[in-house]
Amino acid sequence: MNFTLLITVLLTAITLVVAAYVIAKLIGPRSYAKVKGEPYESGIPTRGSSWLPISVGFYLFAILFLMFDVETVFLYPWAVVVKEFGAMALLSIGFFLVVLVLGLAYAWRKGDLEWK
């Protein structure tokens, strides 16, 4: 098998990344002031530690939102071609929506949609 193209692409990618890093280091602004290392939040100094644990529920809620959002986006192409495929399209989207609703019911029953 000929890996010339793969090696060329990898070398080009590595070269571009290294070149961008070197150029940024050479011409980028440098500031080593003490203020630069301090935490900043809306101009108000923070009280206490800024490294607080974040509940996994936030991530789970975001993932569920993205999952249902992406699944909803799949309805648009179906709506465009539904007349061409007839009953088969209706059955397939019906199955898709049943799975979607079952997933939502499962997440709801598990309590993943509650904001704690």
Side-chain angles (χ1 to χ4, degrees):
M1 210 178 228
N2 190 354
F3 291 106
T4 307
L5 182 61
L6 177 65
I7 291 173
T8 304
V9 169
L10 287 175
L11 287 176
T12 303
I14 291 169
T15 303
L16 288 173
V17 169
V18 170
Y21 182 75
V22 168
I23 291 170
K25 282 292 186 184
L26 290 176
I27 66 173
R30 291 184 188 90
S31 173
Y32 300 108
K34 182 182 176 193
V35 175
K36 187 173 183 179
E38 292 181 7
Y40 178 78
E41 182 66 33
S42 303
I44 302 170
T46 58
R47 284 183 264 160
S49 175
S50 297
W51 295 100
L52 298 174
I54 295 176
S55 173
V56 176
F58 293 118
Y59 298 111
L60 187 59
F61 199 83
I63 288 171
L64 284 172
F65 173 77
L66 287 174
M67 181 178 74
F68 288 112
D69 193 41
V70 168
E71 288 178 352
T72 304
V73 168
F74 285 128
L75 293 175
Y76 290 110
W78 171 81
V80 170
V81 297
V82 69
K83 285 185 180 179
E84 294 175 26
F85 292 107
M88 188 59 188
L90 191 60
L91 286 174
S92 65
I93 203 62
F95 177 73
F96 178 78
L97 289 175
V98 165
V99 171
L100 184 67
V101 168
L102 286 175
L104 179 62
Y106 174 74
W108 196 339
R109 178 155 174 110
K110 226 177 130 183
D112 291 337
L113 299 177
E114 294 178 15
W115 202 254
K116 298 177 187 175

